[in-house]
């Protein structure tokens, strides 16, 4: 059974940094892309960053460009999200996801077959 487990969330002050990790287990599974998404209660889930497995092409939401960096360690089957210069508006539950994506990787969320349970990030001003 495929599992995605996020870690690294926490509470930081504005301007601080956090590094999220997403460990995958359960054997090989079909995917060409992994991504990070976030959600605030009462709002829709938002695509934050995504990375393709082949050439490693990356996508970022405009709101995090220049501050967040997505990367992956294929040997460890782990996805990362380095978050710098955090802002209060970055406060959310962060989820990692994996799937075979044919559309825009930050928009076509329904194409992600596998999802983690989330890790909370709270940024105080």
């Amino acid at each position: 059974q495929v599992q995605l487990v996020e870690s690294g969330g926490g509470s930081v002050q504005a301007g601080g940094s956090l590094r999220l990790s997403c460990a995958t287990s359960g054997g090989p599974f079909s995917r060409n892309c992994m991504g990070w998404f976030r959600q605030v209660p009462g709002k829709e889930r938002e695509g934050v960053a995504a990375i393709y497995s082949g050439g490693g092409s990356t996508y970022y939401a405009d709101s995090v460009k220049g501050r967040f960096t997505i990367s992956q360690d294929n040997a460890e089957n782990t996805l990362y999200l380095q978050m710098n210069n955090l802002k209060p508006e970055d406060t959310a539950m962060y989820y990692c996801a994996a799937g075979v994506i044919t559309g825009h990787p930050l928009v076509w969320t329904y194409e992600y077959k596998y999802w983690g349970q989330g890790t909370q990030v709270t940024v105080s001003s």
Side-chain angles (χ1 to χ4, degrees):
Q1 182 178 357
V2 176
Q3 284 190 318
L4 278 62
V5 179
E6 303 95 336
S7 61
S11 297
V12 295
Q13 289 190 327
S17 299
L18 285 173
R19 189 192 195 201
L20 305 184
S21 299
C22 172
T24 64
S25 62
F29 57 97
S30 295
R31 69 181 187 275
N32 67 347
C33 184
M34 294 191 72
W36 286 98
F37 298 81
R38 64 188 182 187
Q39 189 168 23
V40 175
K43 294 188 176 181
E44 290 188 357
R45 187 169 295 183
E46 174 191 18
V48 175
I51 185 167
Y52 279 91
S53 302
S57 297
T58 56
Y59 291 77
Y60 295 94
D62 289 342
S63 59
V64 306
K65 282 181 181 176
R67 301 188 297 121
F68 290 12
T69 302
I70 189 171
S71 62
Q72 57 187 1
D73 186 328
N74 292 325
E76 295 183 357
N77 292 317
T78 303
L79 180 73
Y80 301 99
L81 185 68
Q82 177 67 44
M83 305 187 296
N84 298 327
N85 190 22
L86 283 160
K87 303 177 180 181
E89 51 263 43
D90 294 319
T91 295
M93 184 72 78
Y94 283 71
Y95 301 88
C96 67
V100 178
I101 309 303
T102 62
H104 194 291
L106 298 184
V107 177
W108 289 31
T109 59
Y110 60 88
E111 289 195 318
Y112 287 89
K113 182 176 181 180
Y114 305 98
W115 291 85
Q117 293 300 307
T119 185
Q120 177 68 36
V121 171
T122 303
V123 184
S124 58
S125 58

